Structures are given as C-alpha cells and as structure tokens.
Amino acid sequence: MKTRCSRIIISVLAGAIFFLCTVVPSIPAQQYKLAPLKVTRSTFIEQVKALRAANPKMTPEDLVAAANALLDKNGVNFAISFDAATCDRLRKVKSEQKDPTVPLTIGATLKSVDAEGAALALPEPLLQPFHNCNCYIELPLLQVTDSDFIAVISGRNIKFHMPANFSTFEAKLLDPKTEGPVKRKWRIPFRGSPVGVSNDENVLYLAFPDPELSDISFAVFGEGVFQIATRAEAEDGGKGKLIRPSTAPSADSRTRFDRWGKSFVVSYMPPCSVKMQPDFVQIVR
C-alpha cells in the first residue's frame, strides 16, 4: 500500500494554511470524494437576545462586551443574494421534492486565499422574496471586503476569495452637497437602518431589527470588519433623518446626519443585480 496526502483546507489564519494528510490505498483517486465542509448559520443574534432576556438589567456597555465575544466566535449571518435564474432553478427543485419538508441543500466550490478550491455544503437557501431579492443564503462571516471574506466553518476561520457573482447588501456614503459621487461603500449583512457615521467616515452604524437590541448597534468598518457598539455611540453627534433624493427620483433610501459641523448622507438598498455564473451553484437533491 502506498500513501498519498489528500489536502483538505482546515484553516487559514494569519497567512498559515493547514492540511490534513491521510493514508489511502494506491488506486484511482476519483473513487475517493472528500466530503464537503458543512457551513451552518450563525446563532449570534439568538445568543445576544438570550443574554438580554436572561439579564434585563445588563447595561448596554456590558451587553456590548459580551456580544463582541460572541461575534468573534460565531460570526454574523451575512446575506448573499442569488440572481433570478438561480432562484428559479432552486424553487423548481424544491417544488419537485417528494417531501417538501426536507431541507434543500446546495453546494459550491470556493477558492481559499493561497490555497486550492474547497467544496462547501451551504446552508439551506431562503427562497421567499426579500425586498428586491429573489432568494439568498446566510453565511457566518467575520469580515467582508470587495476581494475576500472570512467565514466561520466548524469553529475555524477560513478566508476565501470573493466570487464576482456574490451579491450583498450595500450602503454608500454620498457627497452631501450633490448626493452623487460615492465617497465610501460598506458591504452590510442585513438591510438595517443606518443610525450613525463616524467622524472620520470610516464606520457605519446600523440598527438591529430586533426591538430587544435597541440599545446597541452593529458597526461596519471600512476595512470590512464588524463590531458591536452601543446605540449611544452610534448616535453621538446627532441622530439622522430620512431625506428625499435632491435630484431625480431614486429607489434607494437615504439618511442624512448633521454632526460635528459637517454632513453625511448614506444611501442603502438591497442589491440583487449581479448575475450568477453558470453552474457556480450545484443543486443537490
């Protein structure tokens, strides 16, 4: 019996890549198909809400500290939208299932940074229309940029290249005078209402949709990392107000913040216009 090393991407941290070496018989490799890495949804929001329910007198500062520890461990569910054609395929397969209660599973192959492709078993897609999106999945992420993202998979952080066909929600900082040129863009995990912008224009604060979490906020940094902050920190300098676009009618929503002697205008809407590449999503019955 000969040995060979089957490479499985386990983790990518600080540029270090770890592999698992296994001993297998020396016969055609195609007979051995490695099981895909299972990606499960984050329970971060549920855990924070449970903390609040168990400790109703917890100060916002204490809740922030506990929530950030949970965020570092679990990541946050980040909505990734599919295009209409892919959603139609998913709905068709779902409708043809003999047992509609059986979860629909999908797989994808993503390329990790400085490594080869990794086969993933993704969470069940959400097929109901969501604002102007056809369908989407939620991945437990710790960081998102235009070029890559870090996902929490089986308790490990894995950094992947950002596929061109991954569409996410976005918020944009516009020029406050013309409301035209985009000064900064943030990829955001969910469509939350902006409740603040930092003085240096690097951080966008979002309100949680859950009323139990009204005294904390979700901070998205320009570098693509996330953090939990108090609502008071988000609203430091003054609360925002919804405004109408100053030019032609627009489908987006806009919030204006007048604070520290200057103005900030944030535009936000669910983006679903990125076309998926053929066969990127493999449907598994």
Side-chain angles (χ1 to χ4, degrees):
M1 177 185 297
K2 297 182 180 180
T3 64
R4 69 181 161 81
C5 208
S6 299
R7 299 197 301 172
I8 305 176
I9 301 170
I10 300 297
S11 181
V12 180
L13 292 171
I17 305 173
F18 300 90
F19 300 100
L20 175 66
C21 187
T22 57
V23 178
V24 296
S26 180
I27 54 180
Q30 59 268 26
Q31 294 186 18
Y32 292 87
K33 188 174 182 179
L34 298 174
L37 299 175
K38 186 176 182 180
V39 183
T40 57
R41 294 179 69 259
S42 168
T43 58
F44 165 69
I45 296 294
E46 290 81 357
Q47 292 182 61
V48 176
K49 290 167 66 174
L51 266 178
R52 166 61 77 201
N55 304 277
K57 294 184 179 181
M58 179 182 287
T59 66
E61 291 76 14
D62 289 340
L63 183 59
V64 163
N68 276 316
L70 291 171
L71 181 63
D72 290 342
K73 182 178 180 180
N74 300 277
V76 66
N77 285 325
F78 210 102
I80 304 293
S81 299
F82 294 145
D83 70 314
T86 300
C87 291
D88 288 344
R89 290 176 59 201
L90 292 171
R91 289 194 181 94
K92 184 176 186 298
V93 173
K94 184 69 176 179
S95 66
E96 293 174 349
Q97 287 185 167
K98 293 182 179 179
D99 184 355
T101 64
V102 175
L104 179 65
T105 59
I106 60 177
T109 299
L110 299 182
K111 189 177 187 302
S112 62
V113 175
D114 297 325
E116 59 187 23
L120 303 178
L122 301 179
E124 183 177 16
L126 300 163
L127 301 178
Q128 298 80 10
F130 187 75
H131 297 285
N132 68 328
C133 292
N134 283 287
C135 65
Y136 64 102
I137 58 172
E138 292 181 326
L139 302 182
L141 304 186
L142 290 171
Q143 179 177 344
V144 180
T145 70
D146 290 342
S147 59
D148 52 50
F149 63 89
I150 298 177
V152 180
I153 302 177
S154 300
R156 300 179 182 274
N157 303 342
I158 306 181
K159 191 171 188 178
F160 294 102
H161 291 289
M162 174 67 74
N165 48 19
F166 264 24
S167 174
T168 67
F169 298 158
E170 293 180 353
K172 301 174 182 178
L173 183 66
L174 306 180
D175 183 288
K177 295 181 180 180
T178 64
E179 296 180 26
V182 177
K183 302 176 66 177
R184 179 178 291 279
K185 181 182 70 175
W186 297 275
R187 289 181 181 263
I188 56 179
F190 50 84
R191 184 176 179 177
S193 300
V195 291
V197 178
S198 64
N199 190 15
D200 63 0
E201 303 182 347
N202 187 51
V203 185
L204 175 70
Y205 298 89
L206 301 174
F208 283 100
D210 312 272
E212 308 98 310
L213 307 180
S214 61
D215 55 356
I216 63 175
S217 62
F218 191 85
V220 184
F221 289 73
E223 297 80 9
V225 296
F226 321 129
Q227 187 174 315
I228 307 304
T230 64
R231 184 65 172 263
E233 178 183 337
E235 296 178 343
D236 181 32
K239 295 184 178 181
K241 59 180 180 180
L242 286 171
I243 62 173
R244 292 183 177 181
S246 60
T247 55
S250 177
D252 66 329
S253 297
R254 298 184 184 184
T255 299
R256 182 184 184 96
F257 300 91
D258 295 308
R259 45 174 66 172
W260 307 301
K262 52 185 179 180
S263 298
F264 311 83
V265 174
V266 179
S267 165
Y268 55 99
M269 64 179 294
C272 297
S273 59
V274 178
K275 185 179 180 181
M276 293 289 290
Q277 296 174 0
D279 301 325
F280 174 76
V281 176
Q282 299 87 39
I283 302 175
V284 181
R285 296 181 185 272

